[in-house]
Amino acid sequence: MAEFAHYYLDFLAKLGRNFLLFFDSVFSAIASIFTRDVKDYLFDLGEAIKIFDTLGWITLLLVTTINVLLAFFILYRAYLALRKFIFIRRKEIEKEDLLEEIGKLRDQADLLALEKNQIFALKLGEFGGGGAGSTALLGSPAVEEEEEISIHSANEQSRFTKLIAIDNKYKFNPSYVSMTDRDMLTLPEIVQNFIYYASSHLKLYYKPSIVRQFIAGLATTKVIILEGISGTGKTSLPYAFAKFFDNNANLISVQPSWRDRGELLGYLNEFTKKFNETDFLASLYECTYRDDINLIVLDEMNLARIEYYFADFLSVMEMPDKSEWKIDLIPASDPTDPKNMHEGKIVVPQNVWFVGTANQDDSTFTITDKVYDRAIALSLNERGAFFDAPITDVVHISYDYLDSLFNKARAEYALSPKGTDRLTKLDEFIQEKFRISFGNRILKQISIFVPVLMGLGGTENEGLDFIVATKILKKFQALNLVFLVKELNELVILLDKLFGKDQMPMSIEAIRKLEKNI
């Protein structure tokens, strides 16, 4: 045994000396490269350059440059490797700390859950008659009865707080419009009385042509866009119109951050199981209880992309069957959901219109053709002039009565054969020269807008001029008009020929604006 120990100790000693010699050789070599032999390098170089020719000097500079770059590359790669190692190590440490913190939070959550169960058990014991400080077994009849009461009470809490409040508001106070003889106005009387009311009560002044276009737009579509510079009364017009019908316009301020329908309607919070209801949703739902005229104003609607947050409404309101005008809110219904919501859907009632105001500046988005095609757009670029008006009171008109006035106007003032022929010729010219056509949607809007505008006191040419300027010529902005100057002039000549000299002022003004932008 002693002989083996002696042998093994000698072996370890020799192995240790060899390791020391290895490291001594390595460090000695490094020292020789970077310290002791540096003088020899410089001396050899000094002796050699004495006999270098021009090519030798060039080669020296080239080789020296390559060596320096190689050394820099090696050091840089080593630096990157070290940096990556430190970064990964730091992330691992942070990950370990985070996992440790999560573990602590889980322990605390388990402790809180245990305390909650203990408190709940004590309360159940008190309800069971055991007195203060007594407890009851969870399987006892008293506890089971209390659990059923608690669950029933929880089910009574709806996930739609605002909408349930509206249900309660109209449960014992239903809304209905009681019309008297003085409320039975004709369409021209509505225009005149509104102008007088806005002037005498609100100090707002509107031209009859603007009011006629606005009301005819209400007959044509559920979406009205009021464009123009700030301060021309875009927001005031729907506000005053609602006040005239003894109602309030619901003003919704559109935010630049709106990206989808959730910003407009709200969303179901999966954590709280409550629906985050918006003012827009509450306003829309309240209209289902009313039978008067309601306006929801989307103020500065083009601060965000309209086709993003309002897409569901643009699509739903295209359906010919108005009973299908429903918007999905939640995937599944619940017994505690609001009364006028069915299968998780809310109805878009016929007595509501969406009026959007739109500024045209660098802070807003361009309104797309998809939106313009489905809406009626009015331009308000100047404030109405002051005028004296007799004091005029509000009127109480139901949606059904206003709709009957629209239908009566459509029947009495249908588009004349001459007007239809003019439109056909204009359509053929625009198709040939500009490759743009009157679509079915625009033709349908013409069949409603023009007769109602005539019923409001306007003329057929006035209605056609408005539609051509706001529906057809607006599409010209997407064309390369630099090559269509001749065709634009021919279009002006055709308008004067078909409809009469200066009978289409809005359309001709729109063409002149297009020419200025070329």
Side-chain angles (χ1 to χ4, degrees):
M1 182 67 182
E3 291 79 3
F4 173 78
H6 182 71
Y7 155 75
Y8 190 68
L9 289 175
D10 288 342
F11 168 75
L12 291 178
K14 290 179 180 180
L15 186 63
R17 284 194 297 270
N18 289 333
F19 272 110
L20 289 176
L21 288 173
F22 169 76
F23 286 110
D24 180 65
S25 299
V26 171
F27 288 119
S28 178
I30 294 173
S32 297
I33 293 172
F34 294 102
T35 57
R36 291 194 292 266
D37 292 344
V38 172
K39 290 182 179 181
D40 295 338
Y41 299 153
L42 296 176
F43 178 79
D44 293 341
L45 178 61
E47 292 296 325
I49 61 176
K50 293 178 181 179
I51 59 174
F52 280 2
D53 57 6
T54 302
L55 183 60
W57 277 101
I58 294 175
T59 306
L60 173 64
L61 292 175
L62 181 61
V63 171
T64 302
T65 302
I66 293 173
N67 289 335
V68 170
L69 292 176
L70 179 62
F72 175 78
F73 175 76
I74 294 172
L75 291 174
Y76 181 69
R77 297 300 299 180
Y79 164 75
L80 291 180
L82 180 62
R83 181 180 176 185
K84 184 176 181 181
F85 172 77
I86 294 173
F87 177 77
I88 293 174
R89 180 59 183 165
R90 184 183 300 148
K91 285 293 183 182
E92 289 296 324
I93 293 174
E94 292 177 355
K95 183 177 179 180
E96 291 175 359
D97 292 342
L98 183 60
L99 291 174
E100 183 179 353
E101 186 68 22
I102 291 174
K104 291 180 180 179
L105 291 175
R106 285 177 177 173
D107 293 340
Q108 292 178 4
D110 292 340
L111 181 61
L112 290 173
L114 179 61
E115 292 177 355
K116 185 186 76 171
N117 291 336
Q118 291 174 347
I119 294 172
F120 184 61
L122 289 173
K123 289 185 176 181
L124 290 180
E126 293 175 5
F127 282 118
S134 64
T135 61
L137 295 176
L138 292 179
S140 65
V143 173
E144 292 176 353
E145 180 180 356
E146 179 61 26
E147 286 179 334
E148 291 177 1
I149 294 174
S150 177
I151 293 173
H152 178 73
S153 177
N155 287 338
E156 290 298 317
Q157 300 298 320
S158 174
R159 48 191 171 180
F160 291 91
T161 307
K162 291 183 180 180
L163 304 194
I164 291 297
I166 294 173
D167 285 342
N168 295 332
K169 174 183 176 181
Y170 289 96
K171 184 175 182 180
F172 300 107
N173 297 288
S175 173
Y176 60 92
V177 178
S178 177
M179 296 182 62
T180 62
D181 290 341
R182 65 172 299 275
D183 298 316
M184 305 289 185
L185 302 178
T186 63
L187 287 178
E189 288 173 340
I190 290 177
V191 173
Q192 192 64 63
N193 283 23
F194 169 71
I195 293 173
Y196 287 163
Y197 171 82
S199 174
S200 61
H201 288 275
L202 304 175
K203 307 304 177 186
L204 298 172
Y205 310 100
Y206 297 104
K207 296 179 179 179
S209 59
I210 291 295
V211 178
R212 287 196 296 266
Q213 292 166 10
F214 182 75
I215 298 177
L218 298 180
T220 307
T221 179
K222 293 296 180 182
V223 183
I224 309 294
I225 299 176
L226 304 178
E227 299 178 300
I229 61 177
S230 180
T232 53
K234 297 188 298 297
T235 306
S236 301
L237 177 57
Y239 168 82
F241 198 75
K243 285 291 186 182
F244 175 61
F245 290 115
D246 200 20
N247 201 348
N248 291 313
N250 296 290
L251 183 65
I252 308 298
S253 296
V254 175
Q255 302 301 317
S257 59
W258 286 13
R259 294 292 181 269
D260 54 48
R261 49 166 278 171
E263 310 285 356
L264 187 69
L265 292 168
Y267 60 91
L268 181 64
N269 189 319
E270 294 294 343
F271 180 73
T272 62
K273 300 303 179 184
K274 294 287 186 178
F275 197 92
N276 288 2
E277 303 151 285
T278 63
D279 292 338
F280 176 90
L281 177 63
S283 300
L284 181 64
Y285 182 75
E286 186 167 4
C287 293
T288 63
Y289 278 101
R290 306 178 66 92
D291 58 0
D292 55 355
I293 298 157
N294 296 270
L295 303 179
I296 298 179
V297 181
L298 297 172
D299 196 30
E300 297 192 65
M301 69 184 308
N302 60 333
L303 279 178
R305 292 194 179 278
I306 304 167
E307 63 273 18
Y308 287 1
Y309 66 85
F310 204 63
D312 285 2
F313 289 87
L314 294 176
S315 299
V316 163
M317 291 186 294
E318 285 289 289
M319 296 182 180
D321 186 357
K322 296 180 180 180
S323 65
E324 297 179 0
W325 288 19
K326 298 177 182 179
I327 304 293
D328 287 312
L329 288 182
I330 45 178
S333 60
D334 188 90
T336 63
D337 285 347
K339 178 181 177 182
N340 288 353
M341 213 177 81
H342 305 286
E343 298 179 352
K345 298 179 181 179
I346 185 172
V347 174
V348 180
Q350 295 302 304
N351 62 334
V352 63
W353 284 267
F354 306 100
V355 182
T357 66
N359 290 326
Q360 297 169 337
D361 52 46
D362 294 338
S363 66
T364 59
F365 289 96
T366 301
I367 301 177
T368 61
D369 282 345
K370 175 182 179 181
V371 180
Y372 275 129
D373 284 350
R374 291 161 172 77
I376 290 293
L378 278 69
S379 294
L380 302 178
N381 290 316
E382 58 182 19
R383 299 183 62 181
F386 169 82
F387 61 88
D388 284 326
I391 296 177
T392 305
D393 292 331
V394 301
V395 294
H396 300 90
I397 293 179
S398 67
Y399 164 76
D400 290 336
Y401 179 77
L402 182 64
D403 190 52
S404 68
L405 292 180
F406 291 156
N407 291 330
K408 181 181 178 181
R410 292 181 62 185
E412 293 180 357
Y413 301 97
L415 196 62
S416 67
K418 190 174 182 180
T420 303
D421 182 62
R422 290 169 173 173
L423 272 183
T424 301
K425 292 178 179 178
L426 180 62
D427 185 26
E428 291 173 351
F429 178 86
I430 292 177
Q431 284 191 58
E432 179 184 352
K433 301 294 185 178
F434 301 96
R435 300 293 186 269
I436 292 176
S437 175
F438 288 72
N440 292 331
R441 184 185 291 112
I442 293 178
L443 292 175
K444 179 182 177 181
Q445 291 172 349
I446 290 174
S447 68
I448 301 174
F449 183 89
V450 176
V452 173
L453 188 76
M454 295 171 66
L456 288 161
T459 64
E460 183 176 84
N461 276 4
E462 180 185 348
L464 293 175
D465 184 28
F466 178 86
I467 293 295
V468 171
T470 60
K471 292 290 184 180
I472 304 301
L473 297 180
K474 192 174 286 289
K475 297 179 182 293
F476 283 25
Q477 296 175 358
L479 301 176
N480 194 344
L481 298 176
V482 176
F483 303 100
L484 298 170
V485 176
K486 177 184 176 183
E487 287 78 1
L488 289 174
N489 289 326
E490 291 176 354
L491 179 57
V492 173
I493 296 172
L494 179 66
L495 289 173
D496 286 339
K497 180 180 179 181
L498 290 177
F499 297 94
K501 185 69 172 176
D502 299 328
Q503 293 300 306
M504 301 286 279
M506 290 184 64
S507 299
I508 294 176
E509 181 184 359
I511 295 172
R512 297 308 182 201
K513 286 183 178 179
L514 291 172
E515 291 176 336
K516 289 180 181 179
N517 294 330
I518 295 177

